[in-house]
Short mmCIF file of all heavy atoms in Angstrom, two decimals:
data_model
loop_
_atom_site.label_atom_id
_atom_site.label_comp_id
_atom_site.label_asym_id
_atom_site.label_seq_id
_atom_site.Cartn_x
_atom_site.Cartn_y
_atom_site.Cartn_z
N PRO A 15 0.82 -1.16 0.00
CA PRO A 15 -0.01 -0.04 0.02
C PRO A 15 0.91 1.25 0.01
O PRO A 15 2.05 1.28 0.48
CB PRO A 15 -0.84 -0.07 1.28
CG PRO A 15 -0.02 -1.10 2.16
CD PRO A 15 0.63 -1.98 1.20
N PHE A 16 0.33 2.32 -0.55
CA PHE A 16 1.07 3.61 -0.67
C PHE A 16 0.09 4.76 -0.66
O PHE A 16 -1.06 4.58 -0.87
CB PHE A 16 1.97 3.57 -1.85
CG PHE A 16 1.37 3.55 -3.23
CD1 PHE A 16 1.01 4.70 -3.92
CD2 PHE A 16 0.97 2.29 -3.76
CE1 PHE A 16 0.35 4.68 -5.11
CE2 PHE A 16 0.40 2.29 -5.00
CZ PHE A 16 0.09 3.43 -5.69
N ARG A 17 0.65 5.97 -0.49
CA ARG A 17 -0.14 7.14 -0.55
C ARG A 17 0.42 8.01 -1.67
O ARG A 17 1.69 8.01 -1.92
CB ARG A 17 -0.21 7.95 0.70
CG ARG A 17 -0.87 7.17 1.83
CD ARG A 17 -0.89 7.91 3.16
NE ARG A 17 -1.73 9.10 3.03
CZ ARG A 17 -3.04 9.11 3.14
NH1 ARG A 17 -3.68 8.03 3.29
NH2 ARG A 17 -3.73 10.29 3.01
N ILE A 18 -0.38 8.70 -2.46
CA ILE A 18 0.04 9.53 -3.63
C ILE A 18 -0.77 10.80 -3.61
O ILE A 18 -1.92 10.80 -3.21
CB ILE A 18 -0.05 8.66 -4.93
CG1 ILE A 18 0.58 9.50 -6.07
CG2 ILE A 18 -1.55 8.38 -5.26
CD1 ILE A 18 0.74 8.62 -7.35
N ASP A 19 -0.12 11.87 -4.08
CA ASP A 19 -0.81 13.21 -4.11
C ASP A 19 -2.03 13.13 -4.97
O ASP A 19 -1.96 12.49 -6.05
CB ASP A 19 0.19 14.29 -4.64
CG ASP A 19 1.28 14.58 -3.64
OD1 ASP A 19 1.24 14.11 -2.55
OD2 ASP A 19 2.21 15.29 -4.09
N ALA A 20 -3.03 13.79 -4.55
CA ALA A 20 -4.35 13.81 -5.31
C ALA A 20 -4.16 14.68 -6.56
O ALA A 20 -4.94 14.50 -7.49
CB ALA A 20 -5.43 14.26 -4.40
N THR A 21 -3.23 15.65 -6.53
CA THR A 21 -3.03 16.57 -7.70
C THR A 21 -1.48 16.61 -7.85
O THR A 21 -0.75 16.38 -7.01
CB THR A 21 -3.64 17.97 -7.39
OG1 THR A 21 -2.92 18.50 -6.30
CG2 THR A 21 -5.13 17.81 -7.14
N PRO A 22 -1.13 17.15 -9.02
CA PRO A 22 0.34 17.51 -9.23
C PRO A 22 0.74 18.63 -8.16
O PRO A 22 -0.10 19.40 -7.74
CB PRO A 22 0.42 17.98 -10.68
CG PRO A 22 -0.82 17.46 -11.26
CD PRO A 22 -1.87 17.42 -10.19
N VAL A 23 1.98 18.65 -7.93
CA VAL A 23 2.53 19.78 -7.10
C VAL A 23 2.35 21.10 -7.90
O VAL A 23 2.69 21.20 -9.08
CB VAL A 23 4.13 19.56 -6.90
CG1 VAL A 23 4.62 20.71 -6.14
CG2 VAL A 23 4.20 18.23 -5.91
N CYS A 24 1.89 22.12 -7.22
CA CYS A 24 1.49 23.42 -7.74
C CYS A 24 2.65 24.38 -7.58
O CYS A 24 3.52 24.14 -6.82
CB CYS A 24 0.26 23.91 -7.20
SG CYS A 24 0.33 24.42 -5.50
N ASN A 25 2.56 25.45 -8.32
CA ASN A 25 3.60 26.49 -8.32
C ASN A 25 3.80 27.14 -6.90
O ASN A 25 4.90 27.39 -6.44
CB ASN A 25 3.24 27.68 -9.18
CG ASN A 25 3.47 27.23 -10.73
OD1 ASN A 25 4.38 26.45 -11.02
ND2 ASN A 25 2.64 27.80 -11.56
N ALA A 26 2.64 27.26 -6.12
CA ALA A 26 2.76 27.87 -4.88
C ALA A 26 3.60 26.98 -3.90
O ALA A 26 4.44 27.49 -3.20
CB ALA A 26 1.32 28.12 -4.30
N ASP A 27 3.28 25.61 -3.99
CA ASP A 27 4.06 24.76 -3.13
C ASP A 27 5.51 24.76 -3.46
O ASP A 27 6.40 24.64 -2.59
CB ASP A 27 3.41 23.46 -3.12
CG ASP A 27 2.07 23.41 -2.37
OD1 ASP A 27 1.82 24.28 -1.60
OD2 ASP A 27 1.28 22.39 -2.65
N TYR A 28 5.75 24.72 -4.81
CA TYR A 28 7.10 24.67 -5.24
C TYR A 28 7.90 25.93 -4.86
O TYR A 28 9.08 25.88 -4.55
CB TYR A 28 7.18 24.34 -6.81
CG TYR A 28 8.55 23.95 -7.23
CD1 TYR A 28 8.88 22.57 -7.13
CD2 TYR A 28 9.57 24.84 -7.65
CE1 TYR A 28 10.15 22.09 -7.56
CE2 TYR A 28 10.83 24.36 -7.93
CZ TYR A 28 11.06 23.03 -7.95
OH TYR A 28 12.36 22.54 -8.29
N ALA A 29 7.21 27.11 -4.92
CA ALA A 29 7.82 28.34 -4.52
C ALA A 29 8.22 28.26 -3.08
O ALA A 29 9.23 28.93 -2.67
CB ALA A 29 6.89 29.47 -4.84
N GLN A 30 7.52 27.59 -2.21
CA GLN A 30 7.88 27.40 -0.86
C GLN A 30 9.21 26.69 -0.69
O GLN A 30 10.06 26.92 0.10
CB GLN A 30 6.77 26.71 -0.01
CG GLN A 30 5.53 27.49 0.14
CD GLN A 30 4.48 26.78 0.93
OE1 GLN A 30 4.77 25.73 1.57
NE2 GLN A 30 3.25 27.27 0.95
N PHE A 31 9.43 25.65 -1.53
CA PHE A 31 10.70 24.89 -1.57
C PHE A 31 11.82 25.86 -1.87
O PHE A 31 12.93 25.87 -1.28
CB PHE A 31 10.61 23.77 -2.62
CG PHE A 31 11.81 23.07 -2.94
CD1 PHE A 31 12.54 22.44 -2.00
CD2 PHE A 31 12.31 23.13 -4.21
CE1 PHE A 31 13.79 21.76 -2.39
CE2 PHE A 31 13.48 22.57 -4.63
CZ PHE A 31 14.18 21.77 -3.63
N ILE A 32 11.66 26.73 -2.90
CA ILE A 32 12.67 27.75 -3.27
C ILE A 32 12.88 28.66 -2.13
O ILE A 32 14.05 28.89 -1.74
CB ILE A 32 12.23 28.43 -4.48
CG1 ILE A 32 12.05 27.58 -5.69
CG2 ILE A 32 13.30 29.55 -4.86
CD1 ILE A 32 11.40 28.25 -6.92
N ALA A 33 11.86 29.18 -1.56
CA ALA A 33 11.97 30.11 -0.45
C ALA A 33 12.68 29.56 0.83
O ALA A 33 13.36 30.28 1.55
CB ALA A 33 10.64 30.68 -0.02
N ALA A 34 12.51 28.23 0.92
CA ALA A 34 13.12 27.56 2.11
C ALA A 34 14.58 27.30 1.82
O ALA A 34 15.27 26.62 2.72
CB ALA A 34 12.35 26.30 2.51
N GLY A 35 15.06 27.63 0.69
CA GLY A 35 16.52 27.40 0.32
C GLY A 35 16.77 26.02 -0.10
O GLY A 35 17.92 25.53 -0.12
N GLY A 36 15.73 25.42 -0.75
CA GLY A 36 15.85 24.06 -1.29
C GLY A 36 16.89 23.87 -2.37
O GLY A 36 17.54 22.83 -2.45
N TYR A 37 17.11 24.98 -3.13
CA TYR A 37 18.14 24.81 -4.22
C TYR A 37 19.59 25.01 -3.64
O TYR A 37 20.62 24.82 -4.37
CB TYR A 37 17.90 25.90 -5.27
CG TYR A 37 16.83 25.46 -6.25
CD1 TYR A 37 15.54 25.64 -6.09
CD2 TYR A 37 17.23 24.98 -7.55
CE1 TYR A 37 14.59 25.25 -6.93
CE2 TYR A 37 16.37 24.55 -8.44
CZ TYR A 37 14.98 24.75 -8.20
OH TYR A 37 14.08 24.24 -9.15
N ASP A 38 19.70 25.39 -2.41
CA ASP A 38 21.02 25.58 -1.79
C ASP A 38 21.33 24.49 -0.74
O ASP A 38 22.41 24.66 -0.04
CB ASP A 38 21.10 26.98 -1.14
CG ASP A 38 20.96 28.07 -2.23
OD1 ASP A 38 21.69 27.98 -3.24
OD2 ASP A 38 20.24 28.98 -1.99
N ASP A 39 20.44 23.58 -0.53
CA ASP A 39 20.61 22.61 0.52
C ASP A 39 20.94 21.27 -0.10
O ASP A 39 20.03 20.54 -0.64
CB ASP A 39 19.38 22.52 1.37
CG ASP A 39 19.62 21.78 2.69
OD1 ASP A 39 20.53 20.88 2.72
OD2 ASP A 39 18.90 22.01 3.69
N GLN A 40 22.16 20.81 0.05
CA GLN A 40 22.60 19.53 -0.67
C GLN A 40 21.83 18.30 -0.11
O GLN A 40 21.82 17.31 -0.90
CB GLN A 40 24.12 19.44 -0.46
CG GLN A 40 24.71 18.25 -1.24
CD GLN A 40 26.28 18.28 -1.18
OE1 GLN A 40 26.85 19.14 -0.55
NE2 GLN A 40 26.88 17.18 -1.79
N ARG A 41 21.33 18.41 1.04
CA ARG A 41 20.65 17.24 1.62
C ARG A 41 19.57 16.72 0.74
O ARG A 41 19.31 15.49 0.80
CB ARG A 41 20.09 17.61 3.02
CG ARG A 41 21.04 17.81 4.15
CD ARG A 41 20.25 18.21 5.38
NE ARG A 41 19.52 19.34 5.17
CZ ARG A 41 18.52 19.78 6.01
NH1 ARG A 41 18.19 19.10 7.11
NH2 ARG A 41 17.85 20.96 5.78
N TRP A 42 18.87 17.57 -0.02
CA TRP A 42 17.70 17.06 -0.76
C TRP A 42 18.04 16.58 -2.13
O TRP A 42 17.18 15.96 -2.76
CB TRP A 42 16.75 18.27 -0.87
CG TRP A 42 16.47 19.05 0.34
CD1 TRP A 42 16.62 20.35 0.59
CD2 TRP A 42 16.05 18.46 1.64
NE1 TRP A 42 16.26 20.69 1.85
CE2 TRP A 42 15.93 19.52 2.52
CE3 TRP A 42 15.77 17.15 2.13
CZ2 TRP A 42 15.55 19.38 3.93
CZ3 TRP A 42 15.38 17.01 3.41
CH2 TRP A 42 15.28 18.10 4.23
N TRP A 43 19.25 16.68 -2.52
CA TRP A 43 19.57 16.48 -3.95
C TRP A 43 20.33 15.13 -4.14
O TRP A 43 21.12 14.76 -3.40
CB TRP A 43 20.52 17.64 -4.54
CG TRP A 43 19.68 18.83 -4.52
CD1 TRP A 43 19.44 19.72 -3.53
CD2 TRP A 43 19.06 19.40 -5.74
NE1 TRP A 43 18.63 20.77 -4.01
CE2 TRP A 43 18.43 20.63 -5.37
CE3 TRP A 43 18.99 19.00 -7.06
CZ2 TRP A 43 17.71 21.52 -6.19
CZ3 TRP A 43 18.23 19.77 -8.00
CH2 TRP A 43 17.64 20.97 -7.53
N HIS A 44 19.85 14.49 -5.27
CA HIS A 44 20.65 13.35 -5.73
C HIS A 44 22.14 13.87 -6.04
O HIS A 44 22.28 14.99 -6.49
CB HIS A 44 20.07 12.83 -7.05
CG HIS A 44 20.70 11.60 -7.60
ND1 HIS A 44 21.91 11.59 -8.27
CD2 HIS A 44 20.26 10.32 -7.58
CE1 HIS A 44 22.15 10.39 -8.70
NE2 HIS A 44 21.22 9.57 -8.25
N PRO A 45 23.20 13.10 -5.77
CA PRO A 45 24.57 13.59 -5.98
C PRO A 45 24.80 14.15 -7.43
O PRO A 45 25.40 15.20 -7.50
CB PRO A 45 25.41 12.42 -5.67
CG PRO A 45 24.61 11.62 -4.64
CD PRO A 45 23.21 11.77 -5.11
N GLU A 46 24.24 13.42 -8.39
CA GLU A 46 24.44 13.95 -9.79
C GLU A 46 23.63 15.19 -9.98
O GLU A 46 24.07 16.08 -10.72
CB GLU A 46 24.11 12.83 -10.73
CG GLU A 46 25.07 11.67 -10.71
CD GLU A 46 24.64 10.55 -11.69
OE1 GLU A 46 23.59 10.78 -12.37
OE2 GLU A 46 25.26 9.45 -11.65
N GLY A 47 22.50 15.26 -9.32
CA GLY A 47 21.62 16.45 -9.51
C GLY A 47 22.16 17.65 -8.85
O GLY A 47 22.15 18.74 -9.32
N TRP A 48 22.88 17.37 -7.69
CA TRP A 48 23.53 18.55 -7.01
C TRP A 48 24.69 19.12 -7.85
O TRP A 48 24.86 20.31 -7.99
CB TRP A 48 24.04 18.04 -5.66
CG TRP A 48 24.71 19.15 -4.91
CD1 TRP A 48 26.06 19.22 -4.53
CD2 TRP A 48 24.16 20.24 -4.27
NE1 TRP A 48 26.29 20.35 -3.78
CE2 TRP A 48 25.19 21.05 -3.62
CE3 TRP A 48 22.81 20.80 -4.21
CZ2 TRP A 48 24.94 22.27 -2.93
CZ3 TRP A 48 22.60 22.06 -3.56
CH2 TRP A 48 23.59 22.66 -2.98
N ALA A 49 25.40 18.18 -8.45
CA ALA A 49 26.52 18.65 -9.34
C ALA A 49 26.00 19.38 -10.58
O ALA A 49 26.54 20.41 -10.89
CB ALA A 49 27.33 17.43 -9.77
#
């Protein structure tokens, strides 16, 4: 069993990831993606 989002991720939620420093935090990134 699993859970899945009822809708695609929206711009507002993605903007929160940016505002939280998601693009600058290596913890969230695949090593090749970070490079």
Side-chain angles (χ1 to χ4, degrees):
F16 62 96
R17 296 181 66 80
I18 189 168
D19 290 351
T21 64
V23 171
C24 68
N25 287 329
D27 289 342
Y28 198 86
Q30 291 181 15
F31 168 64
I32 300 172
Y37 276 82
D38 295 313
D39 194 332
Q40 187 174 355
R41 289 179 298 165
W42 313 127
W43 292 80
H44 185 285
E46 293 176 4
W48 181 248

